[in-house]
Amino acid sequence: MGPAIRRLLDLAVTDGLAPAVGCAVVLGGEALPIITAGAATSDTFFDLASVTKLFSTVTALALVDAGLLTLEEPVGQVLPAYSQGAKAGVTLRQLLTHTSGLPSEWSGWQRALDEGRAFDRALLLEDLLDTALEAPPGTRFEYSCTGFNTVMVLAEAVSGQPWPALVQAMVLDRLATDGLTGTPQVERCAPTEYQPEYGRGLIQGIVHDEAAWSLGGLSGNAGMFATAAGLSIFGEALRTGLTGILSPVMAAQMWRRQLPELLGQHFNPNDPGLGQGLGVRINQQPWMGSRGTHARGHGGFTGTSLLVDRRENLTVVLLSNRVSPSRAGDDATRLRKAVSDVVYSGA
């Protein structure tokens, strides 16, 4: 298995998919040697992009365990911007399953740049919360970074704590690794995109996602960095039930399919969004592989992914900086699938 994965990673670098690639595999609880290619080493931190949403979900569910949030009560009980109109029906469960009716993206950061305004987090969050719904809550699945940043604001409101501190206390401090962080050392990070148009230059050690960047870094939708080994430790915790992090009830809620119940008559079993738990994507075969029908996990725009499968007792981490120096190339879906297929064939 190792040589086959190494060939795939080496080819990804020589073909120009990404300058740096890393992979970690855990089979039956046994971690295999980390494999890297290009500019990556086993100590390289990668920008996880939307894989961050898994950490955001666990943080929110830990607050449910603590009695500070609920899955079913309208978030308008905490957020005044959600207290009237159609928004009054939005719940945390809907935000975590992309069924709130919110749009995929929030462009407040772009408006601030266009108007020559410095990023003011309080004003940006106010703008975020003013985002209008595109559909009534519970009537569609639409993958939404906007929704996950709304989860962040909700969590900060009920806890009185800044989001990075919550993620650290609720998740990272409970994992036996220093390979997960929202504030990495720049020199240990794989660079991402070159963005002179936003005055950013070559991005390294700072979140690539523009919305998270405007909000100060680690946010609900993006901003976590990890080594391959560090992310595999989180993956194994997720696979084995997040003991010591979530209650068994919340961990089970995170794992199970959510959309048939939430969408009711609006649920379309042929829709690719049907594989959705709380935060986790399910059976995403374009990258989880042909045998990943029971797998859970998440992918990230920067070329990252985490796959966990309880039936096969495996965790697969693939990290790359495929957006460096430009996002215009291959999105790494084929590489992720190829690695998944190799791991399943050897499991």
Side-chain angles (χ1 to χ4, degrees):
M1 181 190 303
I5 293 176
R6 183 173 300 280
R7 284 194 295 271
L8 289 172
L9 301 196
D10 286 341
L11 187 61
V13 173
T14 57
D15 282 353
L17 184 147
V21 189
C23 179
V25 177
V26 185
L27 291 177
E30 179 181 351
L32 304 186
I34 302 297
I35 300 172
T36 62
T41 71
S42 60
D43 294 325
T44 301
F45 279 80
F46 289 81
D47 182 333
L48 296 185
S50 282
V51 177
T52 300
K53 291 181 174 70
L54 298 179
F55 295 86
S56 301
T57 300
V58 176
T59 301
L61 295 181
L63 292 175
V64 175
D65 274 334
L68 295 178
L69 288 173
T70 71
L71 285 168
E72 313 300 352
E73 292 178 3
V75 300
Q77 295 184 9
V78 176
L79 301 176
Y82 277 74
S83 63
Q84 297 180 0
K87 281 186 169 183
V90 173
T91 66
L92 176 59
R93 188 185 296 275
Q94 291 170 340
L95 292 172
L96 293 175
T97 55
H98 307 286
T99 59
S100 67
L102 283 167
S104 175
E105 303 294 337
W106 161 73
S107 57
W109 65 271
Q110 183 73 68
R111 288 190 290 273
L113 288 182
D114 290 346
E115 295 168 10
R117 294 185 281 113
F119 292 145
D120 182 311
R121 190 173 189 271
L123 293 178
L124 288 170
L125 292 181
E126 183 178 327
D127 185 278
L128 171 76
L129 293 178
D130 282 342
T131 302
L133 299 185
E134 292 183 342
T139 63
R140 74 168 191 184
F141 172 90
E142 177 72 23
Y143 183 85
S144 178
C145 291
T146 312
F148 268 74
N149 280 329
T150 303
V151 171
M152 174 185 70
V153 182
L154 178 67
E156 290 184 336
V158 298
S159 69
Q161 298 293 315
W163 180 249
L166 282 173
V167 177
Q168 187 71 42
M170 295 292 185
V171 186
L172 303 187
D173 285 347
R174 303 180 186 188
L175 294 168
T177 179
D178 60 1
L180 295 164
T181 182
T183 55
Q185 296 176 352
V186 173
E187 63 274 13
R188 295 184 64 186
C189 293
T192 54
E193 193 168 7
Y194 179 59
Q195 281 192 340
E197 67 272 28
Y198 298 141
R200 304 182 74 184
L202 181 65
I203 304 166
Q204 185 173 12
I206 300 171
V207 61
H208 171 262
D209 179 86
E210 293 88 357
W213 168 55
S214 75
L215 296 173
L218 179 58
S219 300
N221 73 310
M224 186 68 69
F225 289 76
T227 64
L231 187 56
S232 73
I233 287 174
F234 173 76
E236 280 292 281
L238 177 61
R239 183 181 68 83
T240 57
L242 293 162
T243 304
I245 300 175
L246 292 182
S247 68
V249 171
M250 281 300 104
Q253 283 281 335
M254 186 176 180
W255 196 262
R256 75 174 180 85
R257 296 176 185 269
Q258 298 281 324
L259 298 191
E261 177 182 337
L262 281 174
L263 295 180
Q265 64 178 341
H266 301 285
F267 176 68
N268 176 4
N270 297 315
D271 190 297
L274 68 93
Q276 181 69 48
L278 291 180
V280 298
R281 309 305 308 278
I282 301 172
N283 185 23
Q284 301 293 298
Q285 288 200 8
W287 68 268
M288 288 182 172
S290 57
R291 289 177 56 187
T293 54
H294 297 282
R296 269 72 170 164
H298 216 291
F301 184 78
T302 50
T304 59
S305 59
L306 171 65
L307 179 155
V308 293
D309 192 321
R310 288 179 177 170
R311 289 201 175 191
E312 300 291 341
N313 294 319
L314 62 83
T315 291
V316 184
V317 169
L318 180 67
L319 302 179
S320 80
N321 59 341
R322 70 97 191 166
V323 296
S324 185
S326 169
R327 67 179 67 189
D330 190 299
D331 69 358
T333 295
R334 287 176 295 176
L335 174 63
R336 287 181 270 211
K337 181 182 185 301
V339 170
S340 297
D341 285 340
V342 166
V343 175
Y344 274 107
S345 68

